[in-house]
Amino acid sequence: MARANRLTVHALGVVMIFTWGSTYYLIAVLAAPIVADTGWPLEWVVGSLSLGLLVAGLSAPTIGDAISRHGGRPILALGCLIMALGLAMIAAAPNLAIFMAGWAVLGIGMAAGLYDAAFSTLGGIYGEKARPSITTLTLWGGFASTVCWPLSAALVEAIGWRGACFAYAAVLAGVCLPLILAIVPQSPRRPKQSSADYANAALVLPPRERAMFWLFASIQIIAGLFVTIVSVHLLTLLQARGISLTEAVTLGALIGPAQVGARVLEMLGRGRHHPMWTLSAAVVLCAGGLIVLAAGLPIIGLALILYGAGNGIFSIARGALPLSLFGPGQYAPIMGRLARPGLIAQAAAPMIGAILISRLGYDALLHVIAALATLNVLIAGMLWQVVRQRPLGRIDC
């Protein structure tokens, strides 16, 4: 069983590298070549990712319910096919409208093929013992940009941005889909329910458990805002502090290794501590890094390492904490409902960041995101109080 578990997680890890790399991380490399080739406005090309995240957020609860009813393997497989279709539409788009429609399709695939769906799949297969698998999977996913940014650049150079999208579609359909179907086991079958019974009975929870859900959802919304703002605007924020572009890129590159390093430390802990401690460490590290950055202290590298470490283990808490709080029975529907507000926040974040920069300036934006990260520390403290008081239950939302 241990060997089969490792094989499943490693297969999903490969899938995560290419699903993240061909969706969330794609436009960072392709935006400039697309604009140069087509003449489409840059803000619309970059905004296509926001559209995809918005559609993913709106689709996430339905995807979570589908995983709960049918198991994760068919949903992940379908997600790969939908992402391949979306990428093919983007590659063949004769105009901006079709390009944006392709990103909308890609958003549905993202809901069915990124972390939340993969976490739900592991929870359905391994139940309460899924936490180490979730941790290992985030370690794989941490290499998505490391692998796919250079790969995307090489593909654009060799076959153009349209060819790069077609190539990723082929990888999803020809590599990731077979990996899922051949290696990922099906979740144990649940007793059959009618659609009406399922809708009425699946998600019921007393007030305390509902409070846990909404407190954690609030943390995800706030994190979605400041993490996306940092990822989009970090280089310009650093340059506004008088740092050259080369120095800013070098400093920004510290975030990725910090994320992976923190996940390795979490993995070495073998899940001996409650996931609330993982969440607490994540929000404190993110807040500490952003506060140092906003204060203008001459330790920018340390600030970004702290922030990167917190962001890295937040991904683990996002998957492990709901499993611990609510159990495996309702894990997939809960993950779907938790994903929606966070993804919508990520979709809105680039525009919110741009508005704050234009009206208040770069320093003010840094202070805003530091305040948001600090707010998450306070909300995590409130969640601690509820977790200590409540019996395990089910959720109503």
Side-chain angles (χ1 to χ4, degrees), residues 344-394:
I344 292 174
Q346 290 179 53
M351 182 180 295
I352 292 173
I355 291 172
L356 288 173
I357 288 172
S358 64
R359 297 191 177 183
L360 301 177
Y362 291 103
D363 285 343
L365 177 61
L366 278 172
H367 285 90
V368 168
I369 60 178
L372 288 173
T374 303
L375 179 59
N376 258 359
V377 176
L378 299 177
I379 298 174
M382 296 168 62
L383 182 57
W384 262 114
Q385 297 302 314
V386 179
V387 169
R388 284 170 173 162
Q389 295 170 6
R390 70 62 181 126
L392 285 176
R394 298 168 69 193

Side-chain angles (χ1 to χ4, degrees), residues 37 204 264 342 373:
D37 179 53
V204 178
V264 170

